[in-house]
Amino acid sequence: MWKVLTAVVVLVLVVWDYRAAPVGLAGAACGALAAMALLEIGLLLGALVWRTRVTAVVIGVGGEVRTWNRPGLRVVLRNVPVLMSVGITAGRAPVRRRLWLTSCTSVLLTAAVVAASWLLDGPFARGLAVAGTAVLVKALVPRRGAGGTSAGWFLFTLPRLKGRVVAELEAAPLVTAASDALEAGDLERAEEVAERLMAAHPTLLSAIGTKVSVLTMRTRYAEALHMVSNLVGRTDLDQRDMAFVMAQMASSTANAMEAGQLPLEVGLGAAKRASDGAVQLGYPRYRATATLAQLALLEDDLPRAIALAGQARQTAETSLSRADALATLARAQMASGDNAAARRTLEEARALAGWMPRVAEVSARLDIT
């Protein structure tokens, strides 16, 4: 859709005044970036006003400059601070109302600034207005996939939802509580919340996913894989749901093979097919790099494992996923004979989540070495 909108913006500016098109296009570039930033800033303001949970704030693109980790929140500053992304979730009830109001705040703020840009004169201002309008229109198109959800989906689709999707959203506060417990290393609390979720909502993906996360942290990888495998045959899951299921299946399979709970000859091909299937269904490829790094390590492709684990470290969205990527990186560095690099890698992993089974296991191996 971005290609279509870009073509429309260029065409409008050229037809409007071809002599001033270069200045207008410069304004369009600024307007597009500004509108995208405003949508994210609006989410932050909406979350503050309506008490929606902010899980991540990423400023910029490219390599990571600095990261701040707080319980339930990760703030990342990257090399080129031209874009911004904000992750939100429902921390408390009523879930749908809070999410709707938060998205509404984002759209209203952006719409107000875009409308004001139309009152300005000159080709640069015209470019600002045209591109800002295009970005706003795109945001208002209802769209929900494994890579993200548009403001339009929250505004126009969310209020009319029924059935399982609504139940998934309503269960979000308990899912968030379990995630917070895992982030803090409180496995007992996380397991207790997961059991409550499974008892109340045994068929919900969020409940099953929470249980799988707890099993993974308990190193019960085969059980986690069995739970995920049972989801593949369900007919009530849409493409987005199946993308997450396939990604989790690939991850659980990799963990089970690494721990010796599943033979490589059985799991390696299945894990690769699951990972490829997840990406084909819309799962962002960068989120799959951690699993792909594990698979490369299991195949003894150490250069690829190190490269992919490094990418996963840079793009991790939580402190646990970053620590997990660091554990893979340290294992690959050890296997390549660079124990000094592995020690440096593990220092960061221990600071993030030294209690994690994969981090602790690699630490123990390195200490023995």
Side-chain angles (χ1 to χ4, degrees), residues 336-351:
S336 64
D338 194 349
N339 285 352
R343 287 190 177 91
R344 291 192 297 271
T345 299
L346 277 175
E347 284 180 12
E348 183 182 354
R350 286 167 174 160

Side-chain angles (χ1 to χ4, degrees), residues 195-214:
E195 293 300 331
R196 284 169 55 194
L197 269 169
M198 288 297 294
H201 312 284
T203 62
L204 291 188
L205 285 185
S206 55
I208 295 170
T210 301
K211 180 66 175 178
V212 166
S213 296
V214 172

Side-chain angles (χ1 to χ4, degrees), residues 8 13 35 37 84 86 90 108 151 179 183 198 213 216 247 264 324 334 349:
V8 169
L13 292 176
M84 179 180 180
V86 176
L108 288 176
S179 298
E183 288 277 344
M198 288 297 294
S213 296
T216 299
L264 285 179
D324 191 64
M334 286 178 63

Side-chain angles (χ1 to χ4, degrees), residues 281-298:
L281 290 171
Y283 192 78
R285 186 172 292 276
Y286 74 87
R287 290 183 182 171
T289 51
T291 298
L292 294 176
Q294 271 187 279
L295 296 177
L297 183 57
L298 289 168

Side-chain angles (χ1 to χ4, degrees), residues 25-112:
L25 291 174
C30 294
L33 292 174
M36 287 187 283
L38 281 168
L39 286 167
E40 303 301 319
I41 292 170
L43 285 179
L44 284 176
L45 292 176
L48 179 65
V49 173
W50 306 111
R51 302 177 75 184
T52 306
R53 176 77 172 269
V54 177
T55 58
V57 179
V58 180
I59 302 170
V61 295
E64 185 177 299
V65 175
R66 188 170 179 184
T67 300
W68 295 268
N69 289 299
R70 298 289 183 272
L73 173 64
R74 181 174 175 81
V75 181
V76 181
L77 176 63
R78 300 196 180 278
N79 282 331
V80 186
V82 294
L83 293 175
M84 179 180 180
S85 64
V86 176
I88 62 171
T89 188
R92 64 189 72 192
V95 171
R96 279 203 284 184
R97 185 186 305 168
R98 293 185 193 279
L99 291 174
W100 188 89
L101 289 169
T102 299
S103 295
C104 189
T105 302
S106 170
V107 169
L108 288 176
L109 173 66
T110 307

